Amino acid sequence: MTPTRQRVFDYWWNYKLRQNQKLLVDAIASHRYVAVLGARQRGKTTAIGFAGGLLAQGTKWTTQEGGTVTLPADDVQLASQTLKHAKDFVKRSGRVLSTFNAGLSIATDDGNVFDTTLGSTERIALANGREIKAHAGNPGTIQGMSGHTIVDEIASNKCDQEEIFQQMVAVSSGAPWRRAVMVGNSSYRGDWWWNFWHGTGPVEGNPGITWEQRRAKFTMLKLDIWTEFPDRILPPDLREIQEIMGPEAWHRWYECGFAESHGRAISDELLIRTGLGSPWVPAGAPIVISVDPGLNRNPTGVVVARVGSWAVEVLLAEYWYGPTENDPATADSWSRAQIQQIDGLVNKFGPDKIICDYSNFASALADGLEDTFGRMVVKARTTQDVNQKRWGALLEMLTDGRVHIPPGKLFDDLRTDLGRFEIDESGSSSRKILEAGKLILPETPAENGSHVLHCDIGAALLQVSDFVHVDVG
């Protein structure tokens, strides 16, 4: 670093950057993989802009431990939840870099930081040939790029965060000095960002690696409000914000606490209405047996319902608890036992259709049902999009009072499942997520301590929604 730039750097480091910002810059300069969980509005973007300028210019960095890291000048890719957010990063990075350029001309021996012939709100072109570029949150926007990669606002990005993570690692993989950095506020318990910080076991959709293994590769930096104020004495403006927000919101946004859960999807009022009055479905309407299969520790959810004319009358709703052992012989015998039970329901109710989830390893039961009952069986693959459409139909019927669940203990498990349904109300910039909110089916330990419930009876009722459009007069 030239003497002029060193003086500007010292000014920023000694007088402009706060302690929490210095910790963020040091982590990025010192470590290849970094995850940052930070408080709201405490200078994360400016710190990232400062770090981006260092990475693009190249630096010889002295770490907090006293070691030295040499980083050659390289391109910097910045992805945020939208292009507008990413442009703001570039703008701030430009303001930082312009101070390094102060008092210089193209003819100056020190040389300019900027290439004065290039530049826009989406990129900064440096005189050394390197660029800092802004990208929208869609992971495809950085695919094919190379350089240091910083993902800002990861917690609030509406795209697939696992895909964003994989693209970030891939884009930064071309050289050992390149950094891969994720920065975000707290989000919800159980979502991808929460799992990155606190999750255990295999990564969903990527079972070859666990969350613990991922975290072990990253420098995990938590920058809550008390990192900036270790004596826990807040200035008057922040004390006022703390009082206005209240303890729960303050804990989430300034102490980096993750929200307890998503919003509840179905209110008690709607559940009570399901047991009032008479069914809307005519007596001669089709009857459907709906099965959400369980494997090993996951019980099967079964619903029998009369359906049609955008209404549902539930006739039976049960959990079937099977084995807890994970062995092929036991699984085969459990499938045969369930088919026998379904045969009893067929004899009792005379259904028109049997619908069974046909996703992943649950397909064995659906295949067995098809072999036994033939064309009566509908094998339905359940994806998030399919579930979302079913949820929209079910919520509309619940709101209109067109779902009848008889009162009494026999249907308590179904009402409990529906009461556990959650929605992610974070929304979307597109209209792909229905206004009903993104449905979440949470995991709950069963009372027997051996099984795990995934709202399986509720999921079976969702499948029934596939048939409610039938006009039965």
Side-chain angles (χ1 to χ4, degrees):
M1 191 179 292
T2 63
T4 299
R5 292 181 192 168
Q6 183 66 55
R7 284 196 299 273
V8 176
F9 173 88
D10 291 343
Y11 175 74
W12 272 90
W13 195 257
N14 295 327
Y15 300 105
K16 299 275 283 184
L17 296 177
R18 300 191 292 266
Q19 177 61 20
N20 58 319
Q21 294 173 309
K22 293 178 184 179
L23 290 172
L24 195 158
V25 173
D26 178 74
I28 293 174
S30 303
H31 304 283
R32 186 172 188 187
Y33 300 109
V34 181
V36 181
L37 179 63
R40 289 290 298 272
Q41 299 298 319
R42 304 314 301 165
K44 295 189 300 298
T45 302
T46 296
I48 296 169
F50 186 88
L54 289 180
L55 297 175
Q57 294 180 87
T59 185
K60 187 174 183 180
W61 188 261
T62 301
T63 68
Q64 287 187 322
E65 294 77 22
T68 301
V69 176
T70 301
L71 299 174
D74 207 338
D75 293 332
V76 179
Q77 316 295 341
L78 187 283
S80 194
Q81 59 174 312
T82 66
L83 183 58
K84 179 181 178 181
H85 287 80
K87 285 180 178 180
D88 183 57
F89 163 86
V90 168
K91 180 175 69 176
R92 297 193 196 198
S93 191
R95 288 175 181 171
V96 173
L97 287 169
S98 67
T99 64
F100 282 79
N101 217 41
L104 302 180
S105 67
I106 295 175
T108 305
D109 290 338
D110 277 325
N112 273 264
V113 171
F114 295 117
D115 179 341
T116 55
T117 63
L118 295 173
S120 73
T121 59
E122 296 182 22
R123 69 169 179 168
I124 298 171
L126 276 66
N128 63 7
R130 299 304 180 182
E131 292 184 326
I132 301 173
K133 295 181 180 179
H135 303 275
N138 188 324
T141 61
I142 60 172
Q143 186 171 353
M145 300 290 175
S146 63
H148 303 285
T149 308
I150 302 173
V151 179
D152 195 15
E153 303 286 358
I154 181 69
S156 55
N157 199 302
K158 305 302 186 296
C159 298
D160 185 339
Q161 291 161 323
E162 175 66 19
E163 178 68 17
I164 294 171
F165 171 84
Q166 293 177 16
Q167 290 285 4
M168 176 194 72
V169 173
V171 169
S172 63
S173 65
W177 61 79
R178 287 177 175 165
R179 279 19 185 173
V181 182
M182 294 184 295
V183 183
N185 305 121
S186 59
S187 53
Y188 291 99
R189 290 180 180 271
D191 68 7
W192 188 92
W193 186 232
W194 180 88
N195 273 303
F196 193 86
W197 284 83
H198 302 290
T200 59
V203 174
E204 184 178 358
N206 196 357
I209 189 169
T210 66
W211 292 110
E212 296 94 333
Q213 289 172 320
R214 273 196 177 164
R215 280 195 296 275
K217 298 294 185 181
F218 272 73
T219 296
M220 309 290 288
L221 182 64
K222 179 181 176 182
L223 297 174
D224 63 13
I225 193 68
W226 308 121
T227 309
E228 186 178 349
F229 301 100
D231 57 4
R232 303 184 80 84
I233 299 174
L234 296 173
D237 62 316
L238 284 176
R239 285 204 305 271
E240 185 178 31
I241 292 172
Q242 185 181 31
E243 292 167 2
I244 292 172
M245 276 195 154
E248 186 173 335
W250 173 263
H251 176 66
R252 178 182 179 188
W253 297 116
Y254 289 89
E255 295 180 329
C256 300
F258 287 82
E260 287 299 325
S261 67
H262 298 89
R264 184 174 173 181
I266 302 174
S267 68
D268 286 333
E269 180 186 0
L270 290 182
L271 290 177
I272 291 170
R273 289 179 63 186
T274 63
L276 302 178
S278 302
W280 285 63
V281 189
I287 291 177
V288 174
I289 296 176
S290 178
V291 184
D292 184 58
L295 290 174
N296 303 325
R297 298 175 61 232
N298 306 329
T300 293
V302 180
V303 166
V304 181
R306 187 175 281 116
V307 299
S309 296
W310 292 97
V312 174
E313 178 190 1
V314 178
L315 307 174
L316 176 143
E318 294 179 342
Y319 267 120
W320 291 350
Y321 290 88
T324 57
E325 301 85 0
N326 184 13
D327 108 53
T330 304
D332 180 63
S333 129
W334 173 229
S335 292
R336 282 187 277 110
Q338 290 177 93
I339 291 172
Q340 291 174 2
Q341 288 179 271
I342 293 168
D343 186 49
L345 296 180
V346 170
N347 292 331
K348 180 177 179 179
F349 292 101
D352 297 85
K353 292 290 183 181
I354 300 171
I355 183 170
C356 185
D357 184 21
Y358 196 62
S359 306
N360 301 327
F361 300 106
S363 60
L365 179 59
D367 287 334
L369 288 172
E370 186 177 51
D371 291 342
T372 306
F373 300 105
R375 297 176 64 183
M376 182 191 302
V377 176
V378 176
K379 299 191 294 187
R381 296 184 185 275
T382 300
T383 64
Q384 179 62 53
D385 287 342
V386 169
N387 235 22
Q388 197 62 33
K389 291 175 182 177
R390 291 170 176 167
W391 165 234
L394 179 61
L395 182 60
E396 182 179 351
M397 291 186 292
L398 285 167
T399 303
D400 293 341
R402 301 179 71 90
V403 176
H404 184 74
I405 303 172
K409 291 186 176 180
L410 291 177
F411 298 91
D412 279 353
D413 284 341
L414 174 56
R415 278 186 283 268
T416 298
D417 269 9
L418 295 177
R420 288 189 180 124
F421 279 15
E422 296 177 354
I423 49 172
D424 178 357
E425 298 176 291
S426 56
S428 173
S429 56
S430 72
R431 303 270 310 184
K432 292 182 180 179
I433 299 299
L434 300 181
E435 292 179 0
K438 182 180 177 182
L439 182 66
I440 308 293
L441 302 184
E443 179 181 291
T444 310
E447 290 183 1
N448 61 20
S450 300
H451 293 86
V452 178
L453 310 179
H454 294 88
C455 297
D456 306 271
I457 306 180
L461 182 63
L462 283 168
Q463 290 181 157
V464 169
S465 300
D466 290 2
F467 304 94
V468 295
H469 63 279
V470 178
D471 186 3
V472 294

